[in-house]
Amino acid sequence: MNYIPVNEQDRKEMLSRIGVNSIEELLSLQIPEYLRAKKLNLSEGLSEQDLLALFKKYAGKNKSNLVCFRGAGVYDHFVPSLVEEIVGRSEFSTAYTPYQAEASQGTLQAVFEYQSMICELTGLDCANASMYDGATSVAEAVLLAVRTSRKNKIIISSALNPEYLAVVETYTKNLDIEIVKIETDEKTGALNKNVLESKMSDDIGAVVVQSPNFFGVVEDMQALSETAKTKAALFVTVVNPVSLGILKTPCEYNADIAVGEGQVFGNQMYLGGLTFGFLAVKKALEWKIPGRVVGQTVDKNGKRGFVLTLQSREQHIRREKATSNICTNSALNAFAGCVYMSCLGSSGIKELAETNISKARYAFNAIKKLDGFEPLFSDSFFFNEFIFKTAKNIKKIEKALLKENILGPLNLGAFNKKYKNSLMFAVTEKRTKQEIDKLTDILNRA
Amino acid sequence: MNYIPVNEQDRKEMLSRIGVNSIEELLSLQIPEYLRAKKLNLSEGLSEQDLLALFKKYAGKNKSNLVCFRGAGVYDHFVPSLVEEIVGRSEFSTAYTPYQAEASQGTLQAVFEYQSMICELTGLDCANASMYDGATSVAEAVLLAVRTSRKNKIIISSALNPEYLAVVETYTKNLDIEIVKIETDEKTGALNKNVLESKMSDDIGAVVVQSPNFFGVVEDMQALSETAKTKAALFVTVVNPVSLGILKTPCEYNADIAVGEGQVFGNQMYLGGLTFGFLAVKKALEWKIPGRVVGQTVDKNGKRGFVLTLQSREQHIRREKATSNICTNSALNAFAGCVYMSCLGSSGIKELAETNISKARYAFNAIKKLDGFEPLFSDSFFFNEFIFKTAKNIKKIEKALLKENILGPLNLGAFNKKYKNSLMFAVTEKRTKQEIDKLTDILNRA
Amino acid sequence: MNKLLNEIKSNRNENRIVKCDVPYDISIDDKYKRQKNHNIPNLSESTLLRHFTNLSRRNYSLSTTFYPLGSCTMKYNPLVNEKIAKFEEFSSIHPYQPEDTIQGTLEVMYELERGLCEVSGMDYFTLQPAAGAHGEYTGLLIIAEYFKNKKEKRKKIIVPDSAHGTNPASAALAGFEIISLKSDENGIVSPENLKEILNKDVACMMLTVPNTLGVFEKKISEISEILHKNGSLLYYDGANLNAVMGIVKPADIGFDVMHINLHKTFSTPHGGGGPGAGPVGVKAFLKDFLPIPVIIKENDKFKVSSGGKKKSIGKMKAFFGNFPVLLKACAYIKSLGGAGLKEASEQAVLNANYVLSSLKDKVSIPAGNVCMHEFVLSSKGHLGEGVKTLDVAKRLLDYGYYAPTIYFPLIVEEAMMIEPTETESKQVLDEFIDVLSKIIEESKINPEVLRNAPVNTYVSRLNEVEAARKPKLHW
Amino acid sequence: MNKLLNEIKSNRNENRIVKCDVPYDISIDDKYKRQKNHNIPNLSESTLLRHFTNLSRRNYSLSTTFYPLGSCTMKYNPLVNEKIAKFEEFSSIHPYQPEDTIQGTLEVMYELERGLCEVSGMDYFTLQPAAGAHGEYTGLLIIAEYFKNKKEKRKKIIVPDSAHGTNPASAALAGFEIISLKSDENGIVSPENLKEILNKDVACMMLTVPNTLGVFEKKISEISEILHKNGSLLYYDGANLNAVMGIVKPADIGFDVMHINLHKTFSTPHGGGGPGAGPVGVKAFLKDFLPIPVIIKENDKFKVSSGGKKKSIGKMKAFFGNFPVLLKACAYIKSLGGAGLKEASEQAVLNANYVLSSLKDKVSIPAGNVCMHEFVLSSKGHLGEGVKTLDVAKRLLDYGYYAPTIYFPLIVEEAMMIEPTETESKQVLDEFIDVLSKIIEESKINPEVLRNAPVNTYVSRLNEVEAARKPKLHW
Ligand SMILES: Cc1ncc(COP(=O)(O)O)c(C=O)c1O
Ligand SMILES: Cc1ncc(COP(=O)(O)O)c(C=O)c1O
């Protein structure tokens, strides 16, 4: 099976214009025989119907559509139909990066609108078109901070999502950058301003803090930012955009760079494979940021239009001196985020955040009442994710929940022995009261 | 919940321009108080998420996606992804009937292409844009035949799909039209030319024959048509368009009108609710046909374009003298048919027919070998549907099949006592060898 | 780029769709066999995607533009309903599946029926009719059957001259003779006129409320009384139900039979000409005449009942009706709820009056200064030399609007029927008002521009006369 | 109609998406609480559908037009793959679900890995990289780790001057210094030149085969030998793999590491700028350096393995990679099969040569008269007074074509890089050839037309200089 719209007759005519007898001849003119490959050892092609059947079979091997109380970086939020409808339009999905601006005003204006909404949400001045995901956006933020501060020592909260931390470590490993980790308080799960203060010195380029942090705890960003600024370090925040409907904005606590994972805005979970990283900065850093940026301009007739801009930062122009090697990014996922944000609007995003927090608190309070469950950080302020220690058998709990099609909390012990017996719950707006009650009930009986 | 994009502030400004204080005032100016309704007793509105959950609940009460060996008018054919993609484009689905031609060239050209392909398929000269379904297209064909022949006695094969027959009876009941049924041969399940001949007389306006008929048997249309023509009656054929990839065309046996159900071309089964009737005629009947017709023309600059035409036949102009009362038809379903036909092309439609017949014969031959199953019409030529008499317990068979997610053959006894113990099987290209073998196996063990 | 399918050449070698995994077995007696090959090109999927995607871009549609097409209620078609309609649990159902395997499907239909009954006040509904006209036809057959059953010979139906063309056409199809009733300049029926033409031959009168001019029939009670006293029935053409949900129930104000266009009031998309659905509601005394099958609920189980309905008019369509349309309409009712439906109608009325108020000084509004969900204006005397309503309509296309319904109802000269619906914002209406006003001015200053319109569409004005004179109906 | 989101006013009253069915519990200490409201308009779904649908109509895209964008392999993106990618069984999976609940997902990734290995000849693949550049970066980190492990200090990477910008940029990011290698006018690397600059500092050389001029590197074996003898490795930038599937395997001809752009060769759509996927393949000796986690098959069960990989470069992206892209690519391989993939490459080569042959008398083709899947032309000296390649590109937009890649590779003046791909028909190519020839003529007769192009697009030529001078990056 193939998608080739050329038949034998066409092929003959084409070969004859070229002046060869066969495609084989065309190839042999260019490729020495001894370099040629043998027949590919792959299964035979499939008809559309058989292909669907094969992938239905694969699909059937998953236990899917679970009621999800698991987060840790990827969250089960509701995706409005509008997002799928728009993002699925082939004019968006089958276009390339908008090199020809005049023929790409759809994509370009959408990116401009996306950038605008990210700026609104974070309060910062300039957002790029997207990075691959939250993890790489943190890594790029670190590089940006090093570039800007001209200091190669970066403090990072150890409560940064461990996947992100791993990526930052990979990205920086060959670049003579020193990562200094600071630990969170054992009691609160939050960073302690004094601890940060004790690590600050003039050679620190930036302080990177995630809030809500990996444990779900909201940090006192104001205090941390002020502490970072005492030594003129940049303050880099890693934020869950859903939380920005209600939590203090990066701008409000004077962050220089805000990054994060956008999957929560209009993208399904897909094994964590439908992601985009957002990256926003203060005006001063505008010309230093990585990735594509869209700007407004006018056409010959003075009509408003949009183009890729600040391009001299980029690899296709500056090559090894570019601010990043990124080329293809996560445009369509960021576009889903764009449609999602517009679909909710300011008031909807606020309600979204409020609903998340309300449901998470409802679940937290219900679980707290159960025998055998104790909050790991009892007095901390969390957003939509929290941790309980339990004396119960975690494997058994997971099984009991799965039997009822519930993907229960994450066993933090699997990440870090320090957190043995700790379960991390994520509760989004998508979880109904009924589902939460059922979870609580099963936990109770387990 | 509602979809209203107007808030209180807007509303105030609007009311003030109108010069009233409230919508209520606007209503009370026009509607006497005593005519006003009480509060609607309906459940509260639902959010998008809750609505989806409710309908997932309904959906879950169906036993769906069965391996379908049932036909009798609605068939389980494969629908290519292209059809869904195109038909789902909102520019097509959310447009109205193309009254403003210049702003509707997409729909209009598509209908023109649809008409063209129906003409290609049937060999006739003119097709309309669609009727509601196969049944109403037969009914409209009868009315058209009466109108054209000016004779109100119509012969109809009793092997016409009983649902269609019922609709024809409803449509003709108040119109002084006499329906004469002719029976099929008990042995062959087909009409006998001599029987038709014996019923023919000068006052017969038309002869209506379905082929493959309700029993799946292909009629000798040539002979029947010739017989009808001996008395100058119109020959009206009801055809399964899939079969036209291989069977003689209405044109080839000199039919005047060809109608049928288009669901088989690109529309899912949906309880028999995603249908369109096609209706094609010879040139001479062009001005008499019911429904919308699209024609080619040119614009002011000589550029090709398409418009609704022959409109003076229609209700909005001719009112009670119109050729039909139809207004809204089944445009989008017919469009699915259009995309489907184009997706297969001539050679694909031929292969489709050949695959249907091959698979049906494979199943027929396998079942024939089983104890307790005997073909009802052993020597007749069938397309993709056939009947077996069985001594086995039909209820038990159905149950056993359903347990394996197979929707087995139709129990004809439920339609007509005459066919007690008869099972009608439909086998389309969508059924795999494996599925047919499984069916046979279960039948054998039942 | 402007090719017809048959002008495209992208010949694929093989078919990706159909595959035969049993031995080919296709020997056929020549007398059954197709001789001539048809000429449908064998094109690649990529070619076809491009062809049809580009075609789609030549359509104005509700998803791209304001569509103030009077009488058609081009309101927003919620996407979530489309999504629900795609559930395989609904799409893969065969109509002859056993009842207990389609309980979900039947429940949806049952719930829709109940919802329509509540909105309309009727006691029973059939969901079988496929469109408004089909619903009219069904309703009139029910009425015919009712009288047949009463052994009354009533062969006439009164239809106001302002009615939609399908009303008389359906009546004729149902075997009735039509008596056309002259309405006043508001499209309103006067009880006096009615009395004059009424007699024992009259089976029923068909009415639209509000009427096609957007005017609520104030004397409806009187009219109903007159008809019912005469033994005649009253039929409600539900095309304009979007004006009165939660405000007036047709059954309460005297109607006996009605249809509803789900593709109008209940927001299912129109598909460029269908499929729609035209459920028919009746009062209890007409129940037995409804088409078969009907869906009933017994001990929390849903059943399909066809038998024992001797009086039924029979079947109007194979199987059950346009199920996906029914499904979307049911979802619409569930999502809005009672309050939402009423808000919808109220806002529809507000929007129409807002546009009317804003235009009333620039055109004539024969039916006066308030309206229900739509209104009809006459451009006569308000346009420049030689400019017609048709030209205004075409010029609107140039500004990116679909045109309102024109030259309907027939009783208004140079009519333009505007129905904004409730799902348009004040901003959209303001801009439309501005543009229409501007066009009216333009017609005086530069009438040629209107007569040459449209110029911004894919084709300029098309020659309809030529199309009908020498019909070219296929490639 | 040309509004930005924040200029639209269609204020809805309520939110239809989010609903809270537990008691509101939102008290927050002020120090955590957002003070300023953001300014994202609250618009209705109907308004947004129209806004974004209209935006979509301002894009050229593969689904509407020929898109001969060299180096980008804009081949047809099969719809069935999109459909498969939407299966809820895949979309609803959380990355931390237990292995035994995601066997289907893991099997898809495993099958894709196997398929890519077969096509490329490599022994192992990681699917984690999110795009081509990310793949380069991954591959170079693997190479760096390999040398670290061998305790060799090799800090340099050779990149030909014809290479894509991401090559040097990725190398820099991986901590390498770049040695630019001058290639000949065909973009071909000469073994002699290579030898001259080679030394023990060189970790690897990056090559694209065929190169960015569409020329197959005939001396690849010699180059490979030179490098390997020096202890250096050879990196394959797989952006041009569409030329050689089933024809040449990169691993066979001397490459040690490579990435593949699934959004090019394996037909996943480009999404207006991603997401793509850039799986990286390595020969067995580099296996241990691959990113974690890896997917392994044990006793017919699929497992995710992260541990025991001490040598791994670590993680390149959170979780597993861009799964929906991987899924589509896997479906593509399964649907074409081995023969289909080879046919695809063969036809891609034929199509490119057909266009080349048809244009060769009208422009310069620096790399000669045959090519692989794409070719680069130079318009220098073939256009009218003052007309540039840029103008030709813009004029192509007027004729409804997306423009080829221009001014790349950097070594060709006034370059235009044309890659037709295998999914275009002869008719499409013929028409494109005609139009391009016509434009070249036009440039001589009427150069202004080109300099003013485009005129048929939604906006005319945009001022990029102004955009960068006074950046306006949000509303
Ligand atoms: C007033 C009125 N009655 C009846 C109809 C006919 O409805 P349908 O087109 O669904 O058959 C229409 C539709 O245009 C209408 O506006
Ligand atoms: C030759 C070449 N290398 C590398 C890349 C980078 O790939 P990506 O955009 O997927 O990061 C491209 C893409 O344009 C390319 O053409």
Side-chain angles (χ1 to χ4, degrees), chain B residues 2 17 30 37 41 61-63 65 70 90 93 95 102-103 107 163 170 270-271 297 300 303 329 344 346, chain C residues 12 38 40 59-60 63 85 88 93 96 105 107 118 247 271-273 315 343 358 371 394 452 458 463:
Chain B
N2 65 45
R17 176 164 320 164
Q30 304 181 74
N41 182 19
K61 294 181 184 174
N62 282 348
K63 201 167 162 64
N65 264 318
R70 207 161 278 194
S90 62
S93 64
E102 296 83 2
T107 294
E163 300 260 354
T170 309
Y270 277 108
L271 195 78
T297 186
K300 280 200 159 189
K303 184 172 172 185
N329 52 45
L344 270 72
S346 289
Chain C
R12 54 175 163 69
H38 25 81
I40 299 175
N59 261 9
Y60 286 26
S63 72
E88 286 193 348
I93 297 298
Y96 291 141
T105 288
E107 185 167 358
E118 178 58 21
I247 296 171
K315 287 192 74 82
E343 278 162 27
S358 310
C371 65
K394 298 299 182 196
N452 284 324
Y458 183 73
N463 192 333

Side-chain angles (χ1 to χ4, degrees), chain D residues 227-238:
Chain D
L227 282 162
H228 287 119
K229 267 207 183 129
N230 187 55
S232 313
L233 302 183
L234 196 48
Y235 182 92
Y236 183 84
D237 175 345

Side-chain angles (χ1 to χ4, degrees), chain B residues 96-97 99 132 292 315 325-329, chain C residues 70-72 130-136 163-167 208 212 237-240 259 261 263-264 270 276-278 408:
Chain B
Y96 206 81
T97 301
Y99 294 136
Y132 303 131
R292 312 260 185 225
Q315 46 74 27
N325 70 331
I326 195 167
C327 178
T328 295
N329 52 45
Chain C
S71 205
C72 298
H134 207 214
E136 295 167 12
H164 193 264
T166 53
N167 288 189
T208 318
T212 54
D237 175 344
N240 292 342
H259 78 264
N261 302 58
H263 45 301
K264 299 183 176 180
H270 198 271
F408 175 70

